[in-house]
Amino acid sequence: MDLYLMKNCQVIDMVTEETQQKEILVEKGIIKKIEAPGIIKCENTYDLKGKTIVPGFIDSHMHLIPSCIDQYAINLENAKSIEEILERIRIERKKNPQTNMIIGSRLTEFSLKEKRLPTKEDLDQVAKDIPVFLSSIEFHTVTVNSYVLHQLNLPLSLEKIIRDKNNHPTGQMVNNASIIARKKMYEMFSEKNLKEAFEKVYQNIVKNGITSLIAIEGGYLFHNKHVDFLVKNKLDYPIDIDILFSTTDVNKVKVLGLNKIGGDIFLDGSFRSRNAKISESYSDAPGETGKLFFSQEEIEDLIETCILENLQISVHAVGNIGIKTLINAYENVYKKYPSKEYRHKIEHFELPDREDIPRVKKLGLVLTMHPSYENFFRGEGGMYDQRLGKERSLKTNPLRQVFDAGITVAGGSDSHILPANPLLGVHSAVNHPNINSRLTTFEALKMYTINGAYGNKEEHLKGTIEEGKLADFVVLSDNPLKSAPEALKCICVEQTIKNGKVIFSKDEQE
Amino acid sequence: MKLYVKYIGRVSFFVNGKAVTEELSEKSKGILLYMVLNNKEYHRNQLKQLFWCDFSEDSANRNLRHAIWNIRKVFRSVDLDFDVLINVSKSVIRLNESLVIERDIDSFERLMAHEVISEDEVIRCLENFGQDFLENFFISDSQDFNNWVYFERESFRRKYFNNLLSLAKKSMEASDYEIALKILNNLVLLDSYNESLYLMIMKLHVKNGNKSFAVHTYNEAKRVLREELNLGLSDEMKSYYEQINKRVKEKKVLRKNKMDLNFEQIIDSNNKMTIVITSQMDHINKFKYDFLSFNKMPLIELSKIPGRRLPYEGVFEFIDEYVHLFHEDTAIQELNRISSMKTKHIDALVLFNQLSDFLKKHQREKLIVVIYNLAYMDDKFIDFVSYIYRKGCCHHMKFLIAYNKNWETSRIKFFIDAMGIMDDINIIEG
């Protein structure tokens, strides 16, 4: 239907905090008119039966292709022994005899009874003739079988291959060698498999109400061919997929005609890997304070180049020193090239010093944060607790403080690390374990709607339900503004509508 | 009986010159590769462990017998009476002592033992030994053999790398920069994260007078390490780059003060090809006036007539003007022969090479080439100027180039940016 009237719906337009009984006229994928019930006349109507609608969700930080590859991976997070890992590989091969590659993810030796990672000899027992890659949860260790090892051709100066007492490689690789191994894995992953996996991931995305997303792809942890794949295939899908190429090679980005760069340009690392740069030692590793991968001068050079090339840049910064370094860099470069038009970004912003928050506002930086981290990484004995200790972990993801400072904060799932589910993000932000960092439901919804649109310079098209904007909606089972905070997680997406067309319907799926 | 084994690149075997690789099973190949490399006596159990460690005793015995039969059969297909594998005892075998073994890796060793290695030998070495040891040779169910392959592959790569590196260093010491560069560029392909290689290449370019290439190498190293491993460059690299850059920056300051650069300075500045690029026609006119009043040095004027030249037209315009400076028939004939290439399919490298050889051979004391508007000249002409500058074969030529900023193409911009950091090139900003 090119022209139809959406009626009988509770509209949260994200302009005001109220829920309104409105009717929406949609013409050719655009919101033509919004009026109180009974005013607009139209033959074609679409009855939402009193359901609540919000603007289509925007996921501002997602690793789309790694999410696809995860579809093929055996999740080894809960494996208890090496034998269990091998058994799961055996089962996978039996289930899919045609499989030409085994990928295992989220492996950690701490949960294995042997307290060691499998070796290539272990893996050869169950897969001699096809490649096997097992990746640790934080990507820093990759274990491969002999088949892969013989194809890797690791440069001589990479000395991070673990060897046994006979000086034979065990198949385990750490740090830089593991990065090369992962790249090899991505190279071996066929485009056909990627397309099939993409279809599954797409279904999951629209099931969660996402109509636009920023795919953070390429760069040193992933593979640049993923960017090419997305450029080639993204238009086959009705949702908007914007690519954020995590490279520092400005020319590559310009050649592809992209207007933004970065995402996971890692200024520092992550808490899990203990390389997010913090001012005081990690609680579980005295003396370790993480790492800055760029010098102050290098990061300023990069920001300056992007500004001169008219590219929007976003940089990964997690620890308080990483964040401070990045803010300093923006500040120094902005002094040289002052403008009020900039909308550059910081990704993650997990542990800022409180005094740095107003500086972000002053510089007009947009933040992309991940409330769901609080849901998964917090808690007694959780990752934040282990790495940062109780007191410091109370300061992570200070959403309330950044909102109060007037900063625009977009929401990202960080899928494939965590689920691509904006409603989970809303729930996590509203129920932040630290009461002082909690958002209201409306504010949390803003992260995945209008703030996401603003961060992507699309606020004229998306993020609110207003005349002239795209008819991107999510139909919800309940009104989040009227739900108790703890009940938010029970709300589900009933329909996802993109450019006026239903691209997901729970009823149909059932 | 002669056996030739190729270990580098794709494995192959030749018996008395006949290719027999396809006639051998994978494990037979493995056994031969293993035995030929060390050429000693082998216990059958050792071979069974290497190739059939997961098999039952019976099965391993049967498979080993079959592999040995396969090897013998292949050699007997060339000489019926020749037994390549001798049973020293019931359980020990060795290669027949009368077998003449040649291995490609021996040629490498021999070459590396030479005191002096010619450029041709270096090129041959890079071509023949730059590939991997036992490339893609993998027997999925022979774990110990695969470990052996991995170990030998690593050792050969290390040996190749270290030998070539010391050869590059020797060539550097002998001021044989071209050879050293060839080797180092090859080694970078093998070990693209090795900063010290990039640094050596940068130093070579600087010694060779090509600072823009040194800068390019620095940027490439920076890009590769950042893109692949998220690493910044070492302080040593940065500081060396700063040294080059400092000179470039000083030169940039100098450029500002070179508005009064005079003709004599350009002519006598050094014994190298010189290029003056300016966006101010006044400067060109001034130099031309200086030239006319200075003495009767030959002059070629290009792009006097407006209009963008077609590809290569600018190069032939240069040849057509240049030919007028000669009276000797042989030189004129030679130039006309080069000029006749315009009617054929043109290979840039062939044309540039022949022309630069001619320019070198018929060097004059000084030659001024004035280009009134670089934008009229085609990109191939700019490539040609860049080529002869890099080759360092035209010390006698002094280019005075004017360009109009409004017509600046990406090729002109790149040319000016790249040339701008060279010591003997003056860019006078208008």
Side-chain angles (χ1 to χ4, degrees):
Chain A
M1 281 187 292
D2 268 356
L3 180 73
Y4 67 89
L5 185 67
M6 289 174 83
K7 53 191 288 186
N8 197 11
C9 49
Q10 306 290 318
V11 179
I12 301 174
D13 63 11
M14 295 311 296
V15 179
T16 67
E17 211 165 328
E18 292 155 21
T19 309
Q20 300 167 78
Q21 182 84 22
K22 294 273 187 186
E23 291 184 344
I24 303 167
L25 184 69
V26 173
E27 186 181 26
K28 291 181 180 165
I30 307 286
I31 301 169
K32 184 85 176 162
K33 213 158 186 54
I34 304 170
E35 290 289 356
I39 295 176
I40 307 169
K41 304 291 173 210
C42 181
E43 270 182 29
N44 297 324
T45 57
Y46 190 53
D47 188 350
L48 284 172
K49 297 171 184 162
K51 299 280 186 206
T52 301
I53 65 165
V54 293
F57 290 139
I58 299 167
D59 189 332
S60 298
H61 187 119
M62 177 192 276
H63 303 286
L64 189 53
I65 301 298
S67 300
C68 295
I69 291 171
D70 263 10
Q71 296 291 313
Y72 274 84
I74 306 170
N75 186 341
L76 300 169
E77 201 169 4
N78 300 318
K80 298 279 184 294
S81 67
I82 290 173
E83 187 43 46
E84 185 185 335
I85 293 169
L86 302 186
E87 185 54 24
R88 290 176 70 177
I89 295 174
R90 272 189 211 105
I91 292 168
E92 178 66 26
R93 294 199 71 179
K94 210 168 178 181
K95 204 168 71 184
N96 299 307
Q98 301 302 317
T99 193
N100 52 11
M101 183 177 191
I102 297 286
I103 298 173
S105 65
R106 296 167 185 263
L107 177 62
T108 163
E109 69 261 46
F110 303 115
S111 57
L112 303 178
K113 75 171 185 210
E114 296 87 349
K115 299 292 173 211
R116 67 163 178 93
L117 291 169
T119 60
K120 71 178 195 308
E121 283 77 14
D122 294 323
L123 300 177
D124 288 350
Q125 288 176 39
V126 288
K128 287 174 177 159
D129 49 348
I130 58 168
V132 179
F133 295 89
L134 306 185
S135 172
S136 65
I137 195 159
E138 81 293 0
F139 307 141
H140 278 185
T141 312
V142 170
T143 308
V144 300
N145 65 347
S146 296
Y147 186 94
V148 174
L149 188 71
H150 279 258
Q151 296 196 23
L152 273 180
N153 271 333
L154 291 167
L156 288 171
S157 52
L158 283 186
E159 290 292 357
K160 297 294 180 182
I161 310 169
I162 312 287
R163 290 171 193 269
D164 63 17
K165 57 182 188 306
N166 299 318
N167 204 27
H168 290 150
T170 58
Q172 298 155 352
M173 279 161 234
V174 292
N175 299 338
N176 292 340
S178 80
I179 291 164
I180 308 298
R182 278 167 55 80
K183 283 199 193 289
K184 187 75 184 173
M185 174 184 87
Y186 290 131
E187 271 162 29
M188 285 178 157
F189 200 84
S190 74
E191 190 160 326
K192 181 177 161 280
N193 286 352
L194 203 51
K195 276 186 178 166
E196 283 169 15
F198 198 97
E199 188 57 43
K200 287 184 197 164
V201 170
Y202 166 77
Q203 295 302 337
N204 184 56
I205 285 169
V206 294
K207 192 176 123 191
N208 286 304
I210 297 167
T211 53
S212 299
L213 62 90
I214 299 180
I216 293 174
E217 307 294 340
Y220 95 106
L221 263 192
F222 303 106
H223 203 292
N224 291 350
K225 78 172 199 171
H226 298 162
V227 175
D228 298 331
F229 175 86
L230 271 186
V231 168
K232 203 164 97 186
N233 293 290
K234 68 175 189 161
L235 294 178
D236 294 346
Y237 294 86
I239 57 169
D240 293 334
I241 300 170
D242 236 303
I243 302 167
L244 196 43
F245 192 169
S246 295
T247 177
T248 53
D249 189 338
V250 169
N251 287 334
K252 270 189 198 159
V253 172
K254 299 285 273 189
V255 164
L256 289 168
L258 304 174
N259 59 4
K260 52 175 78 73
I261 186 169
D264 274 339
I265 291 174
F266 289 87
L267 174 58
D268 66 351
S270 68
F271 291 133
R272 185 177 291 279
S273 305
R274 293 195 202 90
N275 54 7
K277 184 67 180 166
I278 50 180
S279 48
E280 287 166 36
S281 294
Y282 280 92
S283 296
D284 54 356
E288 280 187 37
T289 59
K291 187 176 179 184
L292 288 176
F293 294 104
F294 287 74
S295 66
Q296 187 71 46
E297 194 187 354
E298 283 169 338
I299 193 67
E300 284 178 20
D301 271 358
L302 178 64
I303 293 170
E304 183 174 346
T305 307
C306 294
I307 283 177
L308 294 175
E309 292 289 345
N310 204 19
L311 291 170
Q312 184 189 25
I313 178 169
S314 38
V315 179
H316 164 123
V318 168
N320 62 331
I321 299 298
I323 290 168
K324 199 182 291 293
T325 306
L326 184 55
I327 295 172
N328 290 344
Y330 277 122
E331 213 167 59
N332 291 339
V333 180
Y334 284 14
K335 269 182 210 157
K336 274 169 89 175
Y337 307 96
S339 166
K340 289 194 187 311
E341 303 299 314
Y342 293 146
R343 216 176 279 185
H344 301 293
K345 293 165 89 174
I346 301 178
E347 305 289 315
H348 304 296
F349 204 72
E350 275 174 76
L351 188 68
D353 283 335
R354 291 296 180 263
E355 69 267 21
D356 285 330
I357 293 175
R359 295 173 68 205
V360 171
K361 169 66 184 165
K362 201 173 163 195
L363 291 166
L365 294 165
V366 176
L367 302 177
T368 304
M369 294 177 70
H370 315 282
S372 303
Y373 283 174
E374 290 294 329
N375 212 40
F376 285 89
F377 301 156
R378 183 71 83 115
E380 193 75 30
M383 192 269 285
Y384 280 154
D385 195 5
Q386 279 186 38
R387 297 283 189 265
L388 302 172
K390 275 203 171 55
E391 194 187 333
R392 201 165 30 176
S393 72
L394 284 173
K395 295 179 182 170
T396 52
N397 304 300
L399 293 164
R400 175 78 273 140
Q401 292 77 357
V402 290
F403 261 81
D404 286 348
I407 297 164
T408 304
V409 190
S413 63
D414 208 8
S415 164
H416 63 129
I417 309 287
L418 295 180
N421 184 351
L423 281 175
L424 177 68
V426 171
H427 169 83
S428 306
V430 175
N431 294 282
H432 196 298
N434 181 358
I435 296 169
N436 298 324
S437 294
R438 285 178 182 171
L439 296 183
T440 66
T441 304
F442 185 73
E443 287 168 331
L445 280 169
K446 279 177 85 174
M447 290 180 70
Y448 295 93
T449 53
I450 184 61
N451 288 4
Y454 178 86
N456 209 25
K457 300 185 179 178
E458 290 186 314
E459 68 274 22
H460 58 294
L461 288 174
K462 299 173 183 174
T464 57
I465 299 177
E466 289 181 278
E467 288 173 9
K469 288 200 175 182
L470 299 181
D472 295 353
F473 311 111
V474 188
V475 181
L476 299 174
S477 58
D478 292 288
N479 185 338
L481 298 184
K482 292 180 181 169
S483 299
E486 61 276 14
L488 286 169
K489 63 182 170 203
C490 303
I491 298 176
C492 59
V493 171
E494 302 251 316
Q495 286 182 13
T496 304
I497 299 169
K498 173 70 188 151
N499 295 333
K501 291 190 176 116
V502 178
I503 55 173
F504 165 76
S505 170
K506 198 177 164 212
D507 291 345
E508 277 175 29
Q509 206 178 51
E510 281 166 356
Chain B
M1 180 73 78
K2 203 164 114 181
L3 170 67
Y4 177 77
V5 185
K6 189 170 171 290
Y7 281 86
I8 310 300
R10 201 181 154 84
V11 166
S12 41
F13 299 89
F14 297 85
V15 177
N16 281 354
K18 181 192 167 199
V20 296
T21 319
E22 300 307 314
E23 294 166 38
L24 291 160
S25 70
E26 284 304 284
K27 291 201 177 172
S28 302
K29 283 180 206 167
I31 290 172
L32 265 182
L33 289 167
Y34 185 72
M35 291 181 77
V36 166
L37 197 73
N38 300 312
N39 200 5
K40 53 181 192 181
E41 293 177 354
Y42 295 95
H43 202 283
R44 282 171 183 258
N45 285 346
Q46 192 182 344
L47 295 176
K48 280 189 287 185
Q49 171 62 30
L50 210 54
F51 292 94
W52 294 279
C53 62
D54 290 339
F55 288 56
S56 68
E57 182 67 19
D58 274 0
S59 177
N61 279 330
R62 205 170 41 249
N63 278 291
L64 177 60
R65 275 200 304 274
H66 182 80
I68 289 173
W69 170 82
N70 178 222
I71 294 170
R72 283 183 166 137
K73 185 177 157 232
V74 165
F75 279 78
R76 282 182 176 144
S77 73
V78 177
D79 180 349
L80 199 59
D81 297 328
F82 189 80
D83 189 1
V84 66
L85 295 171
I86 304 296
N87 291 319
V88 178
S89 68
K90 198 180 166 194
S91 51
V92 176
I93 56 170
R94 64 165 166 78
L95 290 165
N96 190 325
E97 279 168 345
S98 65
L99 181 70
V100 179
I101 294 171
E102 267 187 38
R103 309 175 303 184
D104 56 349
I105 43 175
D106 298 329
S107 342
F108 176 74
E109 303 277 357
R110 280 196 298 272
L111 191 62
M112 288 303 125
H114 287 187
E115 263 306 303
V116 182
I117 298 182
S118 70
E119 186 172 356
D120 281 352
E121 282 171 325
V122 168
I123 292 168
R124 231 178 31 241
C125 175
L126 297 176
E127 277 171 5
N128 294 340
F129 304 111
Q131 293 159 289
D132 230 342
F133 183 89
L134 299 183
E135 192 177 81
N136 295 330
F137 196 79
F138 177 72
I139 303 177
S140 63
D141 60 356
S142 302
Q143 209 167 68
D144 286 3
F145 174 73
N146 290 334
N147 278 336
W148 174 79
V149 170
Y150 196 88
F151 179 80
E152 292 296 335
R153 187 178 286 159
E154 271 195 322
S155 340
F156 181 78
R157 286 177 81 196
R158 219 168 278 284
K159 191 189 288 179
Y160 175 82
F161 187 90
N162 292 338
N163 274 304
L164 270 284
L165 189 62
S166 70
L167 195 57
K169 283 178 182 164
K170 271 190 213 163
S171 305
M172 273 171 91
E173 281 161 18
S175 302
D176 214 339
Y177 300 137
E178 291 292 326
I179 293 185
L181 266 177
K182 264 196 188 95
I183 296 170
L184 290 172
N185 283 329
N186 193 276
L187 293 183
V188 160
L189 296 178
L190 283 183
D191 198 4
S192 50
Y193 310 132
N194 190 331
E195 267 193 81
S196 63
L197 293 178
Y198 291 103
L199 187 58
M200 285 170 77
I201 293 174
M202 282 174 75
K203 288 181 176 170
L204 268 174
H205 281 311
V206 170
K207 278 188 179 166
N208 219 6
N210 284 330
K211 255 182 264 164
S212 61
F213 286 1
V215 170
H216 175 78
T217 304
Y218 176 84
N219 287 330
E220 183 59 12
K222 187 174 154 189
R223 189 192 66 76
V224 168
L225 287 167
R226 179 60 71 196
E227 285 292 290
E228 301 290 328
L229 303 176
N230 200 26
L231 293 175
L233 292 172
S234 65
D235 288 345
E236 193 185 1
M237 279 283 269
K238 283 182 187 165
S239 114
Y240 186 67
Y241 174 73
E242 277 307 308
Q243 277 178 38
I244 308 173
N245 223 16
K246 198 175 154 204
R247 274 181 264 163
V248 173
K249 278 177 190 160
E250 279 166 3
K251 187 163 178 288
K252 276 184 182 160
V253 174
L254 200 61
R255 271 189 220 158
K256 299 276 182 201
N257 300 330
K258 280 214 171 173
M259 300 300 283
D260 58 348
L261 188 79
N262 66 46
F263 181 71
E264 254 173 286
Q265 273 177 308
I266 297 167
I267 296 300
D268 297 329
S269 56
N270 52 39
N271 196 26
K272 273 190 160 186
M273 180 174 144
T274 309
I275 305 177
V276 177
I277 306 171
T278 173
S279 57
Q280 297 268 313
M281 187 52 75
D282 288 352
H283 293 134
I284 294 291
N285 288 332
K286 180 177 180 297
F287 292 142
K288 199 175 149 194
Y289 173 79
D290 286 346
F291 160 73
L292 291 171
S293 55
F294 193 71
N295 66 19
K296 287 180 182 172
M297 263 188 263
L299 167 77
I300 288 179
E301 294 173 291
L302 301 174
S303 69
K304 278 173 93 174
I305 303 168
R308 171 91 173 154
R309 272 55 174 171
L310 297 170
Y312 294 105
E313 193 182 341
V315 182
F316 291 110
E317 188 174 328
F318 170 78
I319 297 174
D320 292 344
E321 290 294 323
Y322 198 42
V323 78
H324 295 308
L325 303 179
F326 290 92
H327 303 293
E328 312 91 348
D329 282 349
T330 49
I332 293 168
Q333 275 167 12
E334 211 173 320
L335 263 184
N336 283 340
R337 189 186 53 75
I338 298 171
S339 183
S340 71
M341 288 170 77
K342 74 175 85 162
T343 59
K344 298 170 190 158
H345 172 74
I346 299 167
D347 181 326
L349 195 61
V350 174
L351 174 65
F352 294 175
N353 215 0
Q354 291 192 10
L355 193 49
S356 65
D357 283 349
F358 178 88
L359 294 171
K360 194 176 176 183
K361 192 166 138 193
H362 297 277
Q363 265 195 34
R364 297 172 161 268
E365 198 185 335
K366 294 274 178 340
L367 170 70
I368 311 291
V369 182
V370 178
I371 297 161
Y372 288 101
N373 190 341
L374 191 60
Y376 290 157
M377 303 307 278
D378 58 286
D379 289 354
K380 293 292 177 193
F381 177 79
I382 299 173
D383 292 346
F384 171 65
V385 177
S386 166
Y387 179 81
I388 55 174
Y389 177 78
R390 288 198 309 275
K391 292 286 276 185
C393 59
C394 300
H395 298 163
H396 62 302
M397 292 175 75
K398 311 287 164 192
F399 280 84
L400 304 177
I401 302 175
Y403 77 104
N404 185 328
K405 273 197 162 172
N406 297 329
W407 297 352
E408 188 175 295
T409 64
S410 58
R411 180 68 187 94
I412 293 176
K413 186 176 181 313
F414 180 75
F415 176 72
I416 292 170
D417 286 350
M419 292 292 169
I421 63 167
M422 310 309 291
D423 279 340
D424 39 13
I425 294 181
N426 295 290
I427 295 174
I428 304 173
E429 285 155 1

